[in-house]
């Protein structure tokens, strides 16, 4: 399960919309070991492509060192798909090098709505997980849970805990 | 010459969890070969049998990207450090 603040999700979606039709990518850092995404860091897509993304290697070194200095880790690694669903592609799976991270995908293929899904990718195995969007600054118990379907062809919502 | 190498989380299973290890060599390629000798499997995760850096790994000497600078065979200096990072990329 990925628990993430609504304001961070909105910032990620805004980044994905801004870079559309190119893929957008970035990181949400959080305190090491907390599994809590706290600091949104949009990254350049060095590939500037509609079908590929790649962190700029020098920007990545700077950001990774900064996280290290702050005792943070990349809790979420996100990117957008601009013409396909929010499910990891074969290249996403073969490149995935952070087994502890939540791989968040946003699809911007529909101009009116976004598909947001989260995955663990460990040793080439993809496991989808629910995304729990947390409303900060409001009642901490007022949480909306989205349970996304496992089928790569459809997205099922189940809202609970309202 | 001993060089400090920073190991990313994903490869720390080769170093008993250590984030920093030392390895010997006067070039990056030599250091990677020594890493492989000290931590079997680690060097080959970074450099393929063809002697090239693997596509999904970034390697830095201090603050310089080895891939873009072609530094694999250039001489290291005393006090240089190596950083390995998994490239973050996909489709």
């Amino acid at each position: 399960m990925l628990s993430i603040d609504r304001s961070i999700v909105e910032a990620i979606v805004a980044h994905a919309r801004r870079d559309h039709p190119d893929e957008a990518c970035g990181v949400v850092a959080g305190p090491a070991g907390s599994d809590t995404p706290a600091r949104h860091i949009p990254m350049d897509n060095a590939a500037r492509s509609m079908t590929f993304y790649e962190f700029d290697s020098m920007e990545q070194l700077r950001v990774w060192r900064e996280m290290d200095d702050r005792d943070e880790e990349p809790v979420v690694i996100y990117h957008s798909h601009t013409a396909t669903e929010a499910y990891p592609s074969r290249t996403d799976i073969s490149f995935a090098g952070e087994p502890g991270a939540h791989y968040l995908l946003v699809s911007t293929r529909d101009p009116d709505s976004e598909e947001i899904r989260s995955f663990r990718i460990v040793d080439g195995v993809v496991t989808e997980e629910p995304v729990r969007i947390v409303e900060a600054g409001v009642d901490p118990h007022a949480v909306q849970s989205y349970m996304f379907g496992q089928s790569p062809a459809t997205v099922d919502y189940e809202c609970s805990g309202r | 010459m001993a060089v400090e190498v920073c190991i990313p989380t994903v490869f720390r299973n080769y170093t008993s969890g250590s984030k920093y290890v030392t390895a010997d060599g006067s070039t990056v390629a030599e250091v990677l070969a020594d890493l492989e000798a000290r931590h079997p499997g680690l060097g080959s995760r970074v450099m393929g049998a063809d002697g090239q850096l693997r596509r999904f790994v970034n390697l830095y000497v201090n603050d310089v990207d080895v891939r873009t600078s072609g530094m694999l065979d250039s001489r290291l200096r005393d006090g240089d450090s190596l950083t390995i990072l998994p490239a973050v990329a996909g489709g």
Side-chain angles (χ1 to χ4, degrees), chain A residues 20-153:
Chain A
H20 185 95
D22 284 347
E23 294 194 6
C25 55
V27 174
V28 189
S34 71
D35 201 33
T36 302
R39 190 165 66 93
H40 174 217
I41 310 166
M43 303 283 286
D44 282 340
N45 178 0
R48 298 199 189 289
S49 161
M50 296 188 284
T51 56
F52 195 72
Y53 81 96
E54 181 164 21
F55 286 6
D56 174 83
S57 66
M58 295 315 295
E59 184 181 30
Q60 187 188 348
L61 180 66
R62 181 176 60 72
V63 167
W64 254 244
R65 284 195 175 151
E66 188 180 86
M67 285 192 285
D68 219 39
D69 291 344
R70 299 166 61 120
D71 201 20
E72 293 174 333
E73 59 191 6
V75 178
V76 170
I77 293 175
Y78 73 87
H79 76 284
S80 63
H81 284 174
T82 57
T84 57
E85 63 175 331
Y87 190 86
S89 64
R90 266 184 301 246
T91 36
D92 292 336
I93 296 164
S94 62
F95 271 91
E98 295 283 354
H102 302 268
Y103 283 89
L104 189 76
L105 277 88
V106 179
S107 174
T108 54
R109 67 176 163 179
D110 183 336
D112 299 318
S113 69
E114 296 84 22
E115 187 191 8
I116 299 164
R117 296 165 77 179
S118 182
F119 305 85
R120 297 286 192 170
I121 308 176
V122 180
D123 293 334
V125 177
V126 176
T127 310
E128 185 160 13
E129 61 182 0
V131 178
R132 179 166 167 268
I133 294 177
V134 181
E135 304 282 357
V138 195
D139 176 1
H141 300 294
V143 159
Q144 199 172 36
S145 293
Y146 295 85
M147 177 73 79
F148 290 96
Q150 301 296 316
S151 158

